[in-house]
Amino acid sequence: MNRFGWLYFPARLAWRQLVFDRTKLVAAICGVLFACVLVFMQLGFKDTLYASAASAPLKLDGDLFLMHKQSEAMWRPIQFKRSELMRVLGNPAVAEAYPLYLGLAPLKNIQTQAKRTLMVYGFDPDSLMFNVDSARNKHIELRLKDTVLFDEYSRPEFGPVRQLLEAGRNMTEINDYKVTIIGLFQLGVSFAADGNVVTSDLNFMRIFPRRNLDDIDMGMIRLNPGASVEHVQAELKSYLNEFVNVFTYEELLRHEKDYWANTAPIGFIFGFGTVMGWVVGLVIVYQILFTDIANHRNEFATLKAMGYEQGYFVRVVFASASFLAVLGFIPGYLLSLGLYNLAESQMYMPMPMLISKVITVFMFILSMCFMAGLLAIRKLKDADPADMF
């Protein structure tokens, strides 16, 4: 006991101070719980945002990708000439190069006839550009006129498409153009689009009559086996026009995430909300610790007169902060777990509670309580034995 007495006795005093006033303890725990839930939710939404932003690039089966430098993200592309993509075929390390066409358009619900916007992907079906089994298995059918595949992970406002297809109802409209849904695939919604459709490049032009095959949104490049991605990337950058970005697979994912983190305001909102949760919890815990010290000022002064050093009282305050962090974090984590499940069911986007996130939030809450304790320690100076005796 003596070995750990420097920590045990201050912790025991801190615990007894906290449980002495149960109402105030509950208020403090609620404050920490609120901050914990707020931080969990903000981080969860931010992770979901980044995961959804990368969902489409993750399905592209290529080594290098061309995008216009003014394209902020895949859902907000700037077109460039197809001839620029074809120039890469002059590099002996390049095996294949295919264009990708992107566009937002309203799809008509087969049942209700209501329209809702989704993302349309147009590409050469024989390129097997999308690493999605359904799209690859039906690449021959996608060559047919006015055929599309629908993302069954789209929001339910588009209707029960799977059940309708099983009932033989597969005709609908995209951008007021009649199409036939020949099957389903799995991609997932994002903050940019509530659903997705893939089709051939020729069908894409029929859905978007003002577009033409010469103006593309992205280019996908496959290299010969054994070719160095970084080396070929440097070579392409040296002779392609300066308005074209040449991304590796990892750089494309980073580009999509960076848009939401740094360009779109929603990334700032989630980060700001996390900071505000920390500040609100800090204020609440500080008020509790400060009041505790103020209410027991005479007792602290008595202990000082008995020979207890300042370090002992500092450990008492930090022990109280640690207890509040743990007591608030546990119910906050359990409540956040339920809210994550609720959010997933409403957003139709994954919101996993990863162990790394749990540890991050706990350290975040612990730092918040420790900072509150650090600020409240100043009140210990008022506990002067000379003022009491």
Side-chain angles (χ1 to χ4, degrees), residues 74-357:
M74 283 184 62
W75 76 281
R76 299 186 68 176
I78 300 296
Q79 285 84 43
F80 60 98
K81 293 301 180 181
R82 180 174 178 153
S83 58
E84 195 67 23
L85 172 64
M86 295 299 102
R87 290 176 64 190
V88 308
L89 293 174
N91 191 302
V94 174
E96 299 172 312
Y98 296 101
L100 175 63
Y101 303 91
L102 306 165
L104 292 169
L107 179 141
K108 181 180 290 186
N109 187 309
I110 298 176
Q111 280 186 323
T112 66
Q113 305 300 302
K115 296 180 180 180
R116 194 176 184 93
T117 301
L118 46 57
M119 177 66 77
V120 182
Y121 297 87
F123 59 97
D124 181 355
D126 294 332
S127 69
L128 304 179
M129 181 181 294
F130 273 88
N131 191 16
V132 178
D133 290 340
S134 301
R136 294 191 168 193
N137 294 337
K138 290 187 175 292
H139 73 280
I140 296 178
E141 290 91 332
L142 280 176
R143 297 178 191 169
L144 301 177
K145 186 174 182 291
D146 303 337
T147 57
V148 302
L149 292 176
F150 180 80
D151 180 11
E152 65 176 329
Y153 289 169
S154 300
R155 290 191 59 85
E157 286 81 358
F158 291 103
V161 178
R162 175 176 287 277
Q163 289 83 347
L164 292 170
L165 293 182
E166 292 173 353
R169 300 179 62 183
N170 59 357
M171 300 290 294
T172 185
E173 293 181 7
I174 302 177
N175 205 25
D176 296 326
Y177 183 83
K178 291 184 179 181
V179 297
T180 302
I181 302 176
I182 60 172
L184 304 171
F185 71 104
Q186 297 84 31
L187 182 61
V189 303
S190 69
F191 279 74
D194 292 333
N196 303 284
V197 159
V198 298
T199 187
S200 70
D201 47 2
L202 296 179
N203 286 328
F204 184 93
M205 297 305 149
R206 297 184 181 102
I207 294 172
F208 298 92
R210 296 184 179 181
R211 295 287 303 272
N212 63 81
L213 291 172
D214 291 332
D215 295 322
I216 68 175
D217 298 294
M218 283 187 64
M220 189 199 73
I221 302 168
R222 291 196 186 105
L223 304 181
N224 290 315
S228 171
V229 175
E230 291 75 16
H231 180 71
V232 176
Q233 180 188 31
E235 289 184 344
L236 295 181
K237 285 182 177 180
S238 68
Y239 61 76
L240 291 179
N241 286 331
E242 60 180 12
F243 60 79
V244 175
N245 274 325
V246 183
F247 291 131
T248 64
Y249 184 77
E250 293 74 17
E251 288 172 347
L252 178 62
L253 295 179
R254 195 179 312 121
H255 178 265
E256 294 298 304
K257 293 179 181 179
D258 286 347
Y259 167 78
W260 294 104
N262 303 318
T263 304
I266 193 169
F268 171 79
I269 292 172
F270 289 150
F272 185 75
T274 302
V275 174
M276 287 306 299
W278 191 86
V279 171
V280 170
L282 171 67
V283 171
I284 294 174
V285 175
Y286 167 73
Q287 290 291 340
I288 296 298
L289 296 177
F290 183 89
T291 304
D292 258 350
I293 295 173
N295 291 343
H296 298 91
R297 185 177 55 180
N298 292 337
E299 288 83 350
F300 282 129
T302 301
L303 291 174
K304 280 186 178 182
M306 293 171 61
Y308 284 87
E309 298 179 352
Q310 179 73 6
Y312 176 84
F313 304 108
V314 172
R315 291 194 293 273
V316 170
V317 174
F318 280 122
S320 297
S322 301
F323 284 135
L324 291 177
V326 174
L327 292 174
F329 176 80
I330 294 174
Y333 163 73
L334 296 176
L335 179 58
S336 299
L337 202 58
L339 292 175
Y340 269 42
N341 292 329
L342 177 62
E344 282 186 340
S345 66
Q346 297 300 313
M347 296 191 305
Y348 296 91
M349 287 186 280
M351 200 170 178
M353 180 66 79
L354 303 176
I355 185 63
S356 58
K357 186 183 300 181

